[in-house]
Amino acid sequence: MNKKYMQEAIRISRQMMRRNMGGPFGAVVVRGDKIVGRGCNQVTSTNDPTAHAEVVAIRDACKRLKTFQLDDCELYTSCEPCPMCLSAIYWARFKKVYYANTRRDAADIEFDDDFIYTEVSRPITERSIPMRQLLRKDALTVFQEWKNKADKIRY
């Protein structure tokens, strides 16, 4: 744990919020003793609902390091990750995550992810956005082809 990395994530959150890039969130990816990725919330400036600080920092680090796994890295983020970012963190395979503000702190300024946490835990048939399965047999043929693919890159 290194406070200077969290201070950098907080600095990014403040600076980019003041520049109207998006919400007050910042993140840095650290490998060893070096920042290898930076990100701020860019949802409103890029019209991309997935452009959260953590996701932007993960994309930046992966591009710089030319890898899709960050298992030798740590993430410092100015707020407890939302469900989407939490999933991205697990996909990237970080060894550790540090956060400053809590999700309750975010809810107090009208960034409330509790709805999504609740939705994810519900059965598909009870979610607020209807989800229906379609053409599974057709799609399974692609999965079978992947299973048999000799030159696939596992992740």
Side-chain angles (χ1 to χ4, degrees):
M1 174 176 52
N2 193 319
K3 290 180 182 179
K4 75 177 182 181
Y5 299 128
M6 185 59 76
Q7 289 167 339
E8 177 63 4
I10 294 167
R11 184 194 70 74
I12 291 169
S13 72
R14 178 179 288 114
Q15 179 184 47
M16 302 316 273
M17 174 200 61
R18 288 177 176 172
R19 291 183 185 174
N20 292 320
M21 292 295 294
F25 305 97
V28 295
V29 176
V30 177
R31 178 196 252 177
D33 61 354
K34 183 179 178 191
I35 294 176
V36 295
R38 286 181 168 79
C40 68
N41 182 285
Q42 298 175 19
V43 170
T44 57
S45 61
T46 63
N47 295 316
D48 179 353
T50 69
H52 289 201
E54 297 90 338
V55 172
V56 172
I58 289 168
R59 290 173 181 163
D60 185 40
C62 288
K63 184 177 180 180
R64 288 175 190 243
L65 299 174
K66 296 178 175 47
T67 185
F68 54 84
Q69 290 188 351
L70 301 171
D71 53 349
D72 58 347
C73 296
E74 296 178 340
L75 179 70
Y76 290 76
T77 179
S78 66
C79 189
E80 182 180 351
C82 75
M84 177 186 68
C85 293
L86 184 61
S87 296
I89 287 164
Y90 276 97
W91 277 113
R93 294 172 170 75
F94 281 96
K95 66 180 182 179
K96 191 168 268 191
V97 175
Y98 299 96
Y99 64 92
N101 291 316
T102 67
R103 67 194 231 201
R104 297 285 172 231
D105 297 330
D108 287 344
I109 61 166
E110 299 180 357
F111 288 92
D112 191 356
D113 299 325
D114 280 339
F115 169 73
I116 300 171
Y117 281 102
T118 301
E119 283 290 298
V120 168
S121 66
R122 288 186 174 158
I124 289 174
T125 57
E126 296 177 21
R127 293 183 184 159
S128 64
I129 297 175
M131 296 186 181
R132 303 290 181 258
Q133 192 172 31
L134 182 65
L135 298 177
R136 179 174 180 250
K137 286 173 82 173
D138 294 349
L140 277 174
T141 64
V142 180
F143 276 17
Q144 187 61 47
E145 187 175 332
W146 170 260
K147 184 177 178 180
N148 298 328
K149 186 173 174 43
D151 63 343
K152 64 186 165 203
I153 298 172
R154 295 181 185 274
Y155 60 98

